[in-house]
């Protein structure tokens, strides 16, 4: 596959890995020092949490082909589970709470994934709404989950892991980044394994998958479990690293749709797509409101501004999906491919998947 | 559908056979009965036995009391006009359809309804009339999927990449590479199945079925829609597979020329009933078969090319 003349270290450094290394070095070593509190707190930390949630949903919807509208429910389960583990089990390290919260979300995800054994497509999507409404109702109705706060609001304690405090904007960003990087690496390993192939087989031809012996029940429930585990962990980040004060209403259907939009905009069945889509959804409104405020502040009031912002974003999304139904990632790949071809015209570049 | 002959010789033979159909078929039946006896004695328990399989969809009778026995190592063709029930028969054998009546016996296990999820484990692989590939996976991974039923390492082991998981992966890959080379698919093995031409995809699906070295291979029109040269090549591959691995093959095929050359025995279905079952020579000269195909020709076709 590779020419023997290339040294081992060079072989390791494919263009993909080179780009990824540069990104990771920048994210860990430069941004924490160079980034403003606003950038870290209002842009990057929510971006990371949403990207992880989108990655989770992408495993289920993009790869395994099971549509879900319950993502916000698993975010909420993760957030409230971590809050309660932290509150009620004294001495439990925070990382353990985080992982345990992921498992609780996975369990809830598996229960609400059971209808997928009978339903598919649109019908399955509607049935996953049950998770959405049930979880929100439970968290509002039973005070126990929010330590008897009358409106179900929880206040997350400051982040600290193994005696190290991550309570400032930099700390919360670095903590989120670490969790997201580890979770993403695990997801990549999963997708490259037989289980990942089973997910795609399930999505592309369920009957053929069954005939060759893919365990449908186990594979579907695994997809729901792993997906909601990741979304649950994202919920912990959302509640503990980003907002720090959350209420059940913050995890409503709008949030589920937001995560679904992220993977559709970024690109289904693509890990990079989940990150691109999350960046678009987080960053774009901020940019738009800045420009809007600067340009039209004295013409319109803020309500009109916000409304027109939504319209612009909606129009952009439609435009993008018409231009490239496979999402931003396909667009980026196409442009990168063109540039590479122009740069190395004699020998065409490798095909990216 | 039309009954197409690839060799001009068949046309003559069948035309002549029609004139003295009764006599010829009686002679042929007697000779084939003798060879049958030898084969059955050789093979012991048939790999596949169907007893009184009936199946209907609403008012449509797809299968009507079908009996069939396929011996080990045999290549058995199933032919018949469109809607005769050929695909339904394979769907019953693979458990995708549950017959209204009858029993399917695979090896020594008898089923009223074959459990599809266990099919691969019982040693049965199949292909579909309309391609059933995983478009989002590369060709190599599609073929690797053919061994999924042998995987034992769970997903935690796979993520952790334990020795067992790594060994299973390596074994599956090696077997898939072999099947890919066997079917001359090396040039496309890293391409996504979604973008490849039909003829190649037919071969990929065959590779996915062959990679598990099944006891019984069910092929629903594996040669449809490929060029004549490819057809000959694929037919040779099928025979090689049978000779190399002792695979028993049941295939549905419309091209009579290919069927005659390839199969040991042929079963003919018409309106869900089995109207003939015997060696190519015997079937060629069977009056009921000729009538069935003539009937088809009268309905739409100007010319019967047999
Ligand atoms: N799932 C189904 N639902 C309803 N009717 C069906 C179904 N499958 C098959 N049939 C009917 O059963 C009959 C036999 O169909 P089948 O597909 O087995 O024929 P075939 O011999 O494979 O034909 P072809 O050569 O066109 O593939 C047809 O009348 C068909 O319409
Ligand atoms: Mg058919």
């Amino acid at each position: 596959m590779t020419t023997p003349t290339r040294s081992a270290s060079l072989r390791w450094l494919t263009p993909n890995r080179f780009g990824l290394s540069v990104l990771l070095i920048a994210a860990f070593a430069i941004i924490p020092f160079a980034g403003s509190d606003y950038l870290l707190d209002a842009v990057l930390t929510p971006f990371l949490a949403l990207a992880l949630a989108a990655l989770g949903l992408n495993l289920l919807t993009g790869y395994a082909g099971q549509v879900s509208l319950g993502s916000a429910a698993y975010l909420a389960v993760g957030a409230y589970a971590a809050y309660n583990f932290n509150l009620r089990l004294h001495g439990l390290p925070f990382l353990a709470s985080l992982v345990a919260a992921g498992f609780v979300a996975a369990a809830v995800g598996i229960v609400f994934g059971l209808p997928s054994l009978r339903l598919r497509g649109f019908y399955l999507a509607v049935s996953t709404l049950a998770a959405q409404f049930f979880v929100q109702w439970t968290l509002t109705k039973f005070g126990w989950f929010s330590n008897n706060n009358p409106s179900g609001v929880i206040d997350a304690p400051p982040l600290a892991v193994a005696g190290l405090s991550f309570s400032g904007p930099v700390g919360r960003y670095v903590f989120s980044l670490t969790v997201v990087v580890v979770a993403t690496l695990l997801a990549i390993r999963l997708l490259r394994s037989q289980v990942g192939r089973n997910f795609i087989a399930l999505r592309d031809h369920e009957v053929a998958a069954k005939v060759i012996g893919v365990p449908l029940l186990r594979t579907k429930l695994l997809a729901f479990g792993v997906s909601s585990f990741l979304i649950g962990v994202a919920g912990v980040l959302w509640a503990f690293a980003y907002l720090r004060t959350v209420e059940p209403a913050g995890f409503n259907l709008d949030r589920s749709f937001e995560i679904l939009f992220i993977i559709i905009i970024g690109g289904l069945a693509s890990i990079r797509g989940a990150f691109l889509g999350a960046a678009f959804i987080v960053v774009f409104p901020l940019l738009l409101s800045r420009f809007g405020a600067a340009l039209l502040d004295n013409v319109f009031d803020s309500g009109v501004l916000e409304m027109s912002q939504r319209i612009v974003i909606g129009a952009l999304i439609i435009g993008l999906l018409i231009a490239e139904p496979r999402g931003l990632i396909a667009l980026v790949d196409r442009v990168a491919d063109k540039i590479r071809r122009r740069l190395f015209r004699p020998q065409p570049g490798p095909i990216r998947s | 559908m039309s009954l197409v002959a690839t060799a001009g010789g068949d046309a003559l033979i069948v035309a002549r056979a029609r004139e003295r159909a009764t006599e010829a078929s009686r002679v042929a039946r007697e000779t084939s009965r003798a060879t049958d006896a030898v084969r059955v004695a050789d093979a012991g328990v048939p790999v596949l036995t169907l007893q009184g399989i009936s199946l209907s969809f609403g008012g449509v009778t797809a299968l009507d009391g079908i009996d069939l026995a396929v011996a080990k190592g045999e290549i058995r063709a199933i032919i018949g006009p469109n809607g005769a029930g050929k695909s339904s028969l394979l769907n019953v054998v693979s458990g995708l359809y549950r017959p209204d009546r009858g029993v399917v016996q695979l090896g020594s296990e008898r089923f009223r309804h074959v459990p599809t999820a266990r099919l691969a484990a019982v040693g049965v692989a199949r292909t579909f009339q309309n391609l059933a590939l995983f478009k989002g996976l590369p060709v190599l991974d599609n073929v690797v999927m053919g061994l999924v039923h042998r995987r034992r390492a769970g997903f935690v082991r796979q993520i952790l990449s334990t020795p067992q998981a790594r060994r299973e992966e390596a074994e599956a890959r090696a077997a898939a590479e072999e099947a890919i080379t066997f079917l001359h698919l090396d040039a496309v093995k890293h391409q996504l199945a979604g973008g490849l031409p039909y003829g190649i995809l037919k071969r990929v699906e065959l590779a996915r079925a062959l990679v598990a070295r099944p006891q019984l291979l069910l092929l629903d029109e594996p040669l449809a829609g490929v060029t004549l040269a490819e057809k000959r090549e694929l037919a040779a591959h099928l025979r090689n597979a049978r000779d190399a691995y002792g695979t028993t093959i049941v295939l549905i095929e419309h091209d009579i020329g290919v069927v005659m050359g390839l199969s040991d025995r042929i079963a003919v279905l018409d309106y869900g009933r089995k109207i003939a079952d015997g060696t190519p020579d015997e079937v060629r000269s069977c009056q009921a078969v000729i009538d069935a195909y003539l009937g088809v020709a009268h309905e739409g076709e100007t010319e019967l090319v047999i």
Side-chain angles (χ1 to χ4, degrees):
Chain A
M1 292 203 355
T2 36
T3 48
T5 48
R6 275 199 188 175
S7 74
S9 63
L10 261 181
R11 206 185 326 153
W12 183 86
L13 210 63
T14 61
N16 265 341
R17 285 186 173 153
F18 177 73
L20 190 66
S21 313
V22 170
L23 259 180
L24 282 179
I25 289 169
F28 274 108
I30 299 174
I31 288 176
F33 303 104
S36 66
D37 282 2
Y38 173 79
L39 178 73
L40 296 173
D41 248 349
V43 181
L44 292 177
T45 304
F47 156 73
L48 286 168
L50 281 182
L52 182 57
L55 174 62
L57 181 64
N58 220 346
L59 285 190
L60 180 69
T61 303
Y63 286 92
Q66 314 294 306
V67 189
S68 165
L69 291 178
S71 309
Y74 309 127
L75 280 178
V77 171
Y80 279 82
Y83 173 78
N84 280 293
F85 281 128
N86 200 57
L87 178 75
R88 290 164 210 283
L89 299 174
H90 296 286
L92 189 70
F94 183 69
L95 275 185
S97 300
L98 176 110
V99 173
F103 278 113
V104 173
V108 176
I110 288 172
V111 169
F112 284 99
L114 285 171
S116 72
L117 307 175
R118 283 300 166 89
L119 303 175
R120 42 188 60 88
F122 188 66
Y123 296 93
L124 177 61
V126 170
S127 89
T128 57
L129 282 177
Q132 182 61 52
F133 296 130
F134 178 79
V135 167
Q136 232 183 312
W137 174 79
T138 310
L139 294 180
T140 321
K141 171 93 181 158
F142 299 101
W144 185 84
F145 291 107
S146 53
N147 204 19
N148 294 317
N149 181 299
S151 50
V153 175
I154 52 173
D155 287 305
L159 270 186
V161 175
L164 281 171
S165 165
F166 287 88
S167 54
V170 174
R172 285 182 277 118
Y173 161 76
V174 170
F175 179 79
S176 306
L177 182 65
T178 312
V179 169
V180 170
V181 167
V182 170
T184 306
L185 291 178
L186 287 178
I188 292 176
R189 284 197 87 126
L190 179 78
L191 287 172
R192 290 199 179 150
S193 73
Q194 180 61 35
V195 169
R197 279 192 289 262
N198 289 356
F199 283 178
I200 293 176
L202 187 68
R203 173 196 74 194
D204 285 352
H205 207 299
E206 195 171 321
V207 172
K210 186 175 185 187
V211 164
I212 60 179
V214 174
L216 291 190
L217 176 105
R218 215 184 320 150
T219 306
K220 278 185 182 172
L221 294 185
L222 188 66
F224 272 94
V226 173
S227 162
S228 34
F229 179 90
L230 293 177
I231 299 176
V233 171
V236 180
L237 296 183
W238 190 259
F240 282 69
Y242 172 47
L243 287 179
R244 282 165 292 155
T245 299
V246 295
E247 52 177 342
F251 301 104
N252 58 9
L253 190 57
D254 282 359
R255 181 82 56 215
S256 288
F257 272 118
E258 184 177 52
I259 297 166
L260 186 64
F261 286 156
I262 288 177
I263 66 169
I264 294 175
I265 294 168
L268 287 171
S270 164
I271 289 181
R272 292 174 301 153
F275 283 85
L276 267 184
F280 180 91
I281 284 279
V282 172
V283 174
F284 207 78
L286 292 176
L287 288 181
L288 213 60
S289 63
R290 286 234 160 160
F291 281 122
L295 289 176
L296 308 165
D297 198 19
N298 27 23
V299 187
F300 297 119
D301 64 44
S302 67
V304 175
L305 214 59
E306 195 174 314
M307 209 58 213
S308 48
Q309 216 187 87
R310 287 185 181 199
I311 294 172
V312 170
I313 292 176
L316 257 170
I317 291 175
I318 294 172
L320 166 75
L321 291 181
I322 290 174
E324 183 48 271
R326 287 170 304 151
L328 277 172
I329 193 63
L331 211 64
V332 167
D333 276 350
R334 220 160 55 192
V335 172
D337 207 46
K338 243 179 220 161
I339 293 173
R340 208 175 312 136
R341 237 173 252 177
R342 194 152 292 173
L343 287 179
F344 311 98
R345 193 162 284 171
Q347 67 270 62
I351 302 160
R352 287 225 249 169
S353 65
Chain B
M1 178 223 62
S2 66
L3 195 59
V4 188
T6 47
D10 285 330
L12 267 177
I13 296 168
V14 173
R16 222 181 302 136
R18 234 167 67 202
E19 289 162 20
R20 49 193 177 89
T22 25
E23 193 200 327
S25 65
R26 185 172 47 76
V27 173
R29 214 171 289 145
E30 267 159 25
T31 46
S32 84
R33 209 171 289 147
T35 52
D36 269 3
V38 174
R39 188 183 298 282
V40 170
D42 272 355
V45 187
V47 173
L48 168 68
T49 314
L50 304 182
Q51 289 167 4
I53 296 290
S54 295
L55 171 69
S56 57
F57 297 99
V60 181
T61 304
L63 295 169
D64 186 2
I66 302 277
D67 296 312
L68 193 75
V70 183
K72 180 161 171 46
E74 183 177 308
I75 297 183
R76 168 70 66 104
I78 297 177
I79 65 170
N82 284 119
K86 307 179 295 294
S87 297
S88 300
L89 192 69
L90 287 204
N91 286 343
V92 166
V93 175
S94 45
L96 298 179
Y97 291 170
R98 181 201 173 95
D100 302 332
R101 256 169 294 125
V103 175
V104 179
Q105 186 170 341
L106 291 166
S108 54
E109 289 194 77
R110 291 165 62 83
F111 303 101
R112 293 218 156 268
H113 183 187
V114 178
T116 306
R118 277 187 51 214
L119 199 66
V122 184
V124 182
R126 70 163 290 174
T127 66
F128 292 81
Q129 183 166 353
N130 306 311
L131 293 168
L133 285 166
F134 309 124
K135 295 198 178 91
L137 286 175
V139 166
L140 180 64
D141 291 56
N142 264 283
V143 180
V144 166
M145 282 303 295
L147 286 166
V148 64
H149 65 283
R150 303 244 175 94
R151 296 294 179 115
R152 291 294 165 269
F155 96 105
V156 175
R157 288 203 176 142
Q158 290 182 34
I159 294 182
L160 299 180
S161 195
T162 63
Q164 184 198 10
R166 256 177 296 160
R167 178 167 33 80
E168 285 183 359
E169 182 74 17
E171 281 170 6
R173 249 165 218 285
E177 295 274 3
E178 198 186 320
I180 278 174
T181 306
F182 183 69
L183 288 167
H184 304 312
L185 288 165
D186 290 283
V188 295
K189 70 180 172 190
H190 295 304
Q191 292 184 32
L192 289 186
L196 292 168
Y198 186 82
I200 290 186
L201 293 181
K202 275 283 188 199
R203 262 190 286 160
V204 175
E205 209 187 347
L206 187 58
R208 185 180 69 193
L210 272 178
V211 71
R213 306 263 169 92
Q215 299 278 309
L216 175 62
L217 187 56
L218 311 170
L219 306 173
D220 197 343
E221 307 202 10
L223 311 177
V226 302
T227 65
L228 190 58
E230 280 179 324
K231 248 181 214 187
R232 295 231 169 87
E233 199 190 317
L234 273 176
H237 285 318
L238 291 180
R239 213 179 341 233
N240 284 345
R242 189 266 305 267
D243 296 343
Y245 313 131
T247 307
T248 306
I249 300 175
V250 175
L251 85 155
I252 296 172
E253 178 50 47
H254 282 306
D255 187 326
I256 275 295
V258 173
V259 165
M260 293 290 167
L262 180 62
S263 10
D264 300 310
R265 290 176 65 88
I266 300 173
V268 187
L269 299 192
D270 191 21
Y271 293 113
R273 284 177 308 110
K274 188 172 85 174
I275 57 170
D277 190 358
T279 61
D281 282 332
E282 184 184 11
V283 164
R284 208 189 321 246
S285 53
C286 171
Q287 186 60 48
V289 176
I290 294 160
D291 287 347
Y293 280 100
L294 277 178
V296 170
H298 283 316
E299 275 168 19
E301 268 138 275
T302 49
E303 203 181 337
L304 180 71
V305 208
I306 287 190

